[in-house]
C-alpha cells in the first residue's frame, strides 16, 4: 500500500512537471525570445529606415497629431502602417543566434544590409540598430545583426518583408480629409453645366443652376467615394502639371465643410498606364503633390447634374390621396377611390374621456360589387414609392423614343376634395438592340408636364400594369336555397336537429 501511494505521488509530480514545461515555461521565457524584450512599442517616438541606397533615408516622428514623415518629405503618415512597423521590431521573435562569429557577412547579406532600422524612445534612448540581411531558403528565417554585436541572429522571414517599407507604404493615402456629416455644400465644374448641391438639415437639395430636389442616396454615395479615395503613389512638386492632365482638369470638385464653410477642392486630371495598372491623377488645391489613384475611381467621380436629381416620380402625401384614375392604351381604364369608415373604438388617451373610434381606410374600384383589397393596396403603395433608377433624358425635346407620346398607362392622382395632384405616364419601348428578351423591353416613366424621363427597373412595369379584372374581387357564392338566412323571411322548414347518441347505460 505504501509503495502504491509513493508511485501515485511520483506520477503526480511528473504530471505537474510536464504541465509546467509545456504551458508555463514558455510564458516565463517569452521575453527572452524577443530581440528587444524590454521595449515598449507605445514609448517609441522616432523610426529611421536606411535602405541600401545611401541617399534613401526615411524618418518618422510621433507628434501630438500622430505619426508624421519628416524625411524625405514632410507629410502625414499612415498611422496603422507605422504602428505595424514599430510592433514588427519590438515584438520580433529571436529564433536562434549562430554560435560562431561569421568569417564573411556577405553570405548572410549583411555586408550590405537591405535596410537598417533604428527606434528611438520617448526618453531619448535608442535601441541598437537592426541590420537586415538575406532570407534563408531553408527554415523560413531572415539573417539580422544588431549594431555593436558581431553575432548573426535568425528571426522569422516575415521580418524582412515588414522592414522593406518605401515612402509610399508609410505615407497617409487619404487624398481628401473630411467627415461626410460635416459637408454643407458640394460644387462640381467641368461637366456640360456646373452645378451646386447644398445641405439643409439632413436633406440635400440642388441649389444651382436652379432649385431642385436632390437624390440623398446619390449625394451620400458620391461623398463616400471622395472620403475613401486613396492614393497608390505620390508625385511631389512636379515641374509641370500637363503630363498629368491637371493643367486643364476634367473635373473640379469643391466641398464646403463645417460651420465656417472651409473649402477643399479636388482637381481631377487624366489617366496614364503605369507599370502594373492604369492610374488616374488628382490634386488638392493648395497642395503641390499629385496623387495617383486607381483609374476605376473615375466612374464614381464622373457625375453630372442629372445623376443627383431626385428620381421620385411624384411625391405626394398618401394619407391625403382620395382617388386614382387609371387610363390604359390597350383598353378601358378604371377609377380607384378611398373611403374612410369608423372602425372599432380605441381607448381614449385621457382617463374618463369618451372613446374615439379609429378611422378605417378602404380602397375600392368604382363599378365593381367587390374589390380585391390586397391587390389595390399594393398598387397604391407601388405608385406612392415609384422611383426611377436612372435618368434616361433631362428636358427632352421629344419623348416618342421612350413611348411616352402615347403611353401604355396613365395614372392621375386627386386629393380627398377632388383637386388634381399630378399625373404619371408609363410606357415600354425598346430601342434597336435594347432590352432583354426575357424581361421585355425597357420601361420609362415621367410626370406629365415634367422634364425628366426616368427608366424603371424591369419588374416595376409588371407591378403597375394592372387591369380592372386584376383589382376586382370575385363575387361571394350565392347562399344555398335550402338554407336561406333568417332575414329572408322564408317559411321553408328548417333541417331537423342532428341525432344525439344516447349516453352509456341509458
Amino acid at each position: 500500500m505504501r509503495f502504491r501511494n509513493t508511485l501515485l505521488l511520483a506520477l503526480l509530480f511528473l504530471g505537474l512537471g510536464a504541465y509546467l514545461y509545456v504551458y508555463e515555461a514558455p510564458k516565463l521565457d517569452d521575453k527572452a525570445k524577443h530581440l528587444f524584450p524590454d521595449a515598449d512599442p507605445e514609448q517609441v517616438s522616432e523610426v529611421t529606415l536606411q535602405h541600401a541606397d545611401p541617399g534613401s533615408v526615411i524618418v518618422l516622428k510621433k507628434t501630438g497629431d500622430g505619426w508624421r514623415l519628416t524625411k524625405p518629405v514632410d507629410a502625414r503618415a499612415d498611422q496603422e502602417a507605422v504602428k505595424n512597423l514599430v510592433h514588427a521590431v519590438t515584438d520580433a521573435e529571436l529564433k536562434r543566434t549562430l554560435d560562431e562569429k561569421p568569417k564573411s557577412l556577405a553570405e548572410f547579406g549583411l555586408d550590405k544590409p537591405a535596410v537598417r532600422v533604428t527606434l528611438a524612445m520617448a526618453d531619448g534612448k535608442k535601441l541598437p540598430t537592426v541590420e537586415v540581411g538575406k532570407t534563408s531558403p531553408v527554415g523560413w528565417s531572415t539573417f539580422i545583426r544588431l549594431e555593436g554585436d558581431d553575432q548573426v541572429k535568425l528571426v522569422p522571414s516575415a521580418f524582412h518583408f515588414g522592414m522593406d517599407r518605401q515612402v509610399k507604404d508609410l505615407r497617409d493615402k487619404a487624398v481628401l480629409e473630411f467627415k461626410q456629416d460635416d459637408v454643407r455644400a458640394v460644387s462640381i465644374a467641368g461637366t456640360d453645366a456646373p452645378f451646386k448641391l447644398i445641405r439643409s438639415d439632413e436633406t440635400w437639395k440642388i441649389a444651382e443652376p436652379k432649385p431642385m430636389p436632390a437624390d440623398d442616396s446619390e449625394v451620400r454615395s458620391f461623398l463616400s467615394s471622395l472620403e475613401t479615395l486613396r492614393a497608390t503613389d505620390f508625385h511631389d512638386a512636379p515641374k509641370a502639371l500637363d503630363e498629368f492632365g491637371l493643367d486643364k482638369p476634367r473635373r473640379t470638385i469643391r466641398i464646403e465643410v463645417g460651420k465656417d464653410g472651409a473649402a477643399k477642392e479636388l482637381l481631377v486630371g487624366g489617366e496614364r498606364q503605369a507599370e502594373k495598372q492604369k492610374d488616374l491623377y488628382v490634386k488638392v488645391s493648395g497642395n503641390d503633390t499629385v496623387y495617383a489613384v486607381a483609374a476605376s475611381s473615375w466612374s464614381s467621380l464622373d457625375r453630372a447634374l442629372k445623376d443627383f436629381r431626385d428620381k421620385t416620380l411624384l411625391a405626394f402625401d398618401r394619407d391625403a390621396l382620395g382617388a386614382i384614375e387609371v387610363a390604359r392604351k390597350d383598353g378601358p381604364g378604371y377609377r380607384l377611390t378611398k373611403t374612410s369608415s369608423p372602425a372599432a373604438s380605441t381607448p381614449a388617451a385621457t382617463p374618463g374621456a369618451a372613446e374615439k373610434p379609429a378611422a378605417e381606410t378602404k380602397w375600392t374600384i368604382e363599378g365593381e360589387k367587390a374589390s380585391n383589397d390586397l391587390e389595390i393596396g399594393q398598387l397604391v403603395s407601388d405608385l406612392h414609392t415609384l422611383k426611377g433608377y436612372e435618368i434616361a433624358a433631362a428636358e427632352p425635346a421629344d419623348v416618342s423614343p421612350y413611348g411616352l407620346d402615347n403611353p401604355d398607362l396613365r395614372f392621375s392622382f386627386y386629393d380627398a376634395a377632388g383637386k388634381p395632384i399630378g399625373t404619371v405616364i408609363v410606357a415600354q419601348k425598346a430601342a434597336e438592340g435594347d432590352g432583354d428578351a426575357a424581361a421585355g423591353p425597357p420601361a420609362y416613366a415621367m410626370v406629365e408636364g415634367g422634364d425628366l424621363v426616368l427608366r424603371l427597373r424591369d419588374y416595376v412595369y409588371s407591378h403597375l400594369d394592372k387591369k380592372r379584372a386584376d383589382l376586382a374581387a370575385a363575387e361571394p357564392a350565392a347562399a344555398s336555397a335550402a338554407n336561406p338566412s333568417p332575414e329572408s323571411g322564408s317559411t321553408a322548414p328548417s333541417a331537423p336537429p342532428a341525432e344525439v347518441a344516447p349516453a352509456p347505460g341509458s
Side-chain angles (χ1 to χ4, degrees):
M1 179 67 74
R2 186 175 300 173
F3 172 77
R4 180 182 177 184
N5 290 341
T6 303
L7 180 60
L8 289 173
L9 199 59
L11 290 172
L12 180 63
F13 276 110
L14 284 172
L16 180 60
Y19 171 80
L20 291 173
Y21 179 79
V22 174
Y23 295 101
E24 298 300 328
K27 295 179 183 178
L28 296 173
D29 196 39
D30 186 56
K31 283 191 173 183
K33 292 183 178 180
H34 288 77
L35 272 181
F36 303 109
D38 298 320
D40 181 358
E42 297 301 320
Q43 294 302 311
V44 177
S45 61
E46 184 175 317
V47 181
T48 302
L49 295 176
Q50 171 69 66
H51 289 85
D53 179 0
S56 64
V57 178
I58 300 174
V59 179
L60 299 134
K61 291 186 178 181
K62 186 186 285 186
T63 69
D65 294 329
W67 285 97
R68 190 170 187 85
L69 276 159
T70 59
K71 285 185 180 181
V73 63
D74 183 20
R76 179 173 170 78
D78 184 323
Q79 305 303 301
E80 286 303 313
V82 179
K83 287 179 183 178
N84 290 339
L85 174 64
V86 170
H87 277 275
V89 178
T90 59
D91 300 343
E93 177 191 354
L94 178 59
K95 296 178 68 174
R96 181 186 168 197
T97 300
L98 300 185
D99 296 331
E100 298 181 4
K101 181 180 177 180
K103 295 179 181 180
S104 171
L105 293 176
E107 61 180 304
F108 304 105
L110 290 167
D111 57 330
K112 296 179 180 179
V115 62
R116 303 174 79 245
V117 189
T118 307
L119 302 187
M121 312 304 286
D123 60 6
K125 295 180 180 179
K126 289 186 178 180
L127 299 181
T129 296
V130 182
E131 297 177 346
V132 184
K134 293 179 180 179
T135 296
S136 170
V138 179
W140 303 100
S141 300
T142 293
F143 298 111
I144 66 161
R145 191 175 69 151
L146 297 182
E147 187 178 32
D149 186 351
D150 291 335
Q151 289 182 306
V152 174
K153 304 177 187 297
L154 277 75
V155 294
S157 59
F159 187 81
H160 188 285
F161 173 77
M163 297 304 105
D164 186 19
R165 303 289 90 181
Q166 304 300 319
V167 174
K168 67 179 182 179
D169 301 320
L170 299 169
R171 192 166 175 174
D172 186 4
K173 297 167 186 62
V175 177
L176 279 176
E177 291 186 33
F178 68 93
K179 292 183 179 180
Q180 186 174 152
D181 291 342
D182 295 336
V183 179
R184 310 311 305 171
V186 180
S187 301
I188 300 179
T191 61
D192 293 338
F195 58 94
K196 183 175 183 177
L197 307 160
I198 60 172
R199 187 175 188 167
S200 176
D201 296 326
E202 297 303 315
T203 303
W204 283 94
K205 298 177 181 178
I206 297 170
E208 299 173 7
K210 62 180 180 180
M212 291 178 281
D215 187 327
D216 286 339
S217 61
E218 284 292 339
V219 180
R220 288 194 296 269
S221 176
F222 178 74
L223 289 175
S224 179
S225 298
L226 286 178
E227 190 178 11
T228 57
L229 192 63
R230 294 291 182 266
T232 57
D233 205 352
F234 307 85
H235 301 269
D236 293 300
K239 294 180 180 179
L241 293 177
D242 56 352
E243 63 177 307
F244 304 104
L246 288 163
D247 54 330
K248 296 178 180 179
R250 284 194 282 177
R251 292 287 184 277
T252 299
I253 302 168
R254 177 188 174 95
I255 60 173
E256 297 172 24
V257 183
K259 295 181 180 179
D260 58 351
K264 295 176 182 286
E265 192 171 73
L266 182 72
L267 308 178
V268 185
E271 298 175 11
R272 191 170 68 189
Q273 185 66 41
E275 292 182 4
K276 297 181 180 179
Q277 76 286 328
K278 196 172 186 180
D279 288 334
L280 170 70
Y281 297 104
V282 300
K283 182 180 179 296
V284 178
S285 293
N287 187 336
D288 291 336
T289 300
V290 171
Y291 300 90
V293 299
S296 58
S297 303
W298 172 245
S299 62
S300 59
L301 299 177
D302 181 21
R303 289 287 181 265
L305 175 62
K306 67 183 184 67
D307 298 315
F308 293 106
R309 293 191 62 174
D310 185 14
K311 299 170 188 65
T312 301
L313 263 299
L314 184 66
F316 58 85
D317 181 359
R318 181 171 176 173
D319 292 335
L321 190 62
I324 306 173
E325 287 184 355
V326 183
R328 297 182 58 89
K329 183 172 71 173
D330 64 355
Y334 50 87
R335 179 182 174 89
L336 303 174
T337 56
K338 183 178 74 173
T339 58
S340 298
S341 58
S345 297
T346 56
T350 305
E355 293 184 349
K356 296 181 179 180
E360 184 178 285
T361 298
K362 182 178 178 64
W363 281 91
T364 58
I365 181 168
E366 290 187 356
E368 297 290 339
K369 293 183 178 180
S371 301
N372 188 325
D373 297 340
L374 184 62
E375 286 290 339
I376 295 177
Q378 185 61 56
L379 177 59
V380 174
S381 293
D382 290 339
L383 289 169
H384 180 242
T385 58
L386 187 58
K387 192 171 185 177
Y389 77 91
E390 70 177 8
I391 295 176
E395 301 181 3
D398 181 16
V399 296
S400 60
Y402 312 101
L404 294 170
D405 56 329
N406 185 21
D408 300 334
L409 304 168
R410 183 187 300 271
F411 300 93
S412 299
F413 302 88
Y414 302 88
D415 64 15
K419 183 180 178 180
I421 296 174
T423 298
V424 172
I425 53 178
V426 183
Q428 277 188 319
K429 179 71 178 287
E432 185 176 350
D434 197 4
D436 181 350
Y444 302 94
M446 71 181 301
V447 175
E448 197 167 51
D451 62 352
L452 280 184
V453 175
L454 299 170
R455 182 162 179 172
L456 305 178
R457 297 287 181 189
D458 295 334
Y459 62 86
V460 173
Y461 184 86
S462 63
H463 287 192
L464 303 178
D465 185 20
K466 300 298 181 185
K467 298 180 180 180
R468 172 183 285 271
D470 298 324
L471 305 178
E475 293 186 32
S480 171
N483 296 284
S485 62
E487 291 82 0
S488 65
S490 173
T491 57
S494 60
E499 291 188 5
V500 179
S506 60

